[in-house]
Amino acid sequence: ALTRLLGQGAVRAQVVEALVRYGTGVVALLTEQLHAEDLDTRQAAAVALGRIGDRRATPSLIEALNDRELIVAAAGALARIGDRDAFDALVALLSDREAAIRQSAIAALNSIGHPDMPARTLVLLDDADPHVRVSALKIAGYFGYPECMTRVIECCRDADEQVRRAAAEQLPFFDDPRAAEPVPALLDD
């Protein structure tokens, strides 16, 4: 009965709160609601699943990443759950045309902290798509991956202005004296 009320704006917050209190026992009911016709219902179900934090919801939330209207909510839920099984699906979003979707994927990846992330980030810093390079720079800076430092400095001279800007913004997050090297050239840019 409660899951049917997820689409009702007047009571949605209370319904989500009640479902979260039920915990893992309502995961199956909530994953069904990820396919509801009503967008508000789908989004509320994703939020509730994230707050419950049960890894059994991961496959359904990964599938929900195919619903453009639900990507941000699903990525947010995956971030809260922290299941490494979502890693590849989230990495695939780093090239999305919408900044909000890329940022939600970055936040989820940062939350998951997958052991392959440093090596994958290094590869992504060389991607042909500037959106992917910017996303990879934000991940590298968040964690301050030492193995990415040389490539971050190189990105300060990238042909794409957004990549150069993102690289410059990440420099302070690295505990490496080389981070100061590109600053004079960046000040002239």
Side-chain angles (χ1 to χ4, degrees):
L2 284 172
T3 60
R4 287 192 298 272
L5 294 174
L6 285 171
Q8 304 297 316
V11 295
R12 184 175 304 115
Q14 293 84 359
V15 169
V16 168
E17 193 62 39
L19 288 166
V20 169
R21 276 191 240 127
Y22 275 102
T24 60
V26 295
V27 169
L29 293 170
L30 286 168
T31 57
E32 289 174 16
Q33 295 303 313
L34 293 173
H35 301 288
E37 285 187 38
D38 179 61
L39 174 60
D40 291 332
T41 299
R42 294 193 316 268
Q43 289 177 333
V47 168
L49 286 167
R51 289 189 52 203
I52 291 169
D54 190 317
R55 299 176 91 190
R56 290 178 297 159
T58 299
S60 296
L61 288 166
I62 290 171
E63 181 183 331
L65 295 174
N66 295 316
D67 178 346
R68 291 219 43 94
E69 296 177 317
L70 195 55
I71 293 175
V72 172
L78 289 166
R80 290 190 77 150
I81 293 170
D83 189 342
R84 292 177 176 173
D85 289 345
F87 179 70
D88 288 323
L90 291 165
V91 169
L93 296 175
L94 297 179
S95 63
D96 197 273
R97 67 183 182 274
E98 290 185 41
I101 291 173
R102 291 190 308 272
Q103 191 56 47
S104 66
I106 291 166
L109 287 165
N110 288 350
S111 177
I112 291 171
H114 196 283
D116 293 342
M117 199 70 238
R120 182 71 72 88
T121 301
L122 197 54
V123 171
L124 294 172
L125 287 169
D126 286 324
D127 196 275
D129 184 340
H131 291 313
V132 173
R133 292 195 306 277
V134 168
S135 298
L137 284 162
K138 291 178 179 181
I139 293 168
Y142 180 83
F143 288 106
Y145 292 138
E147 54 267 68
C148 293
M149 185 72 241
T150 299
R151 186 65 188 108
V152 170
I153 290 171
E154 291 169 1
C155 284
C156 290
R157 296 184 297 276
D158 195 276
D160 187 279
E161 180 182 345
Q162 289 180 334
V163 174
R164 291 192 310 272
R165 180 177 293 123
E169 291 169 352
Q170 304 315 308
L171 291 173
F173 301 115
F174 288 90
D175 187 23
D176 190 316
R178 295 178 298 155
E181 290 173 12
V183 173
L186 289 167
L187 290 171
D188 290 335
D189 185 350

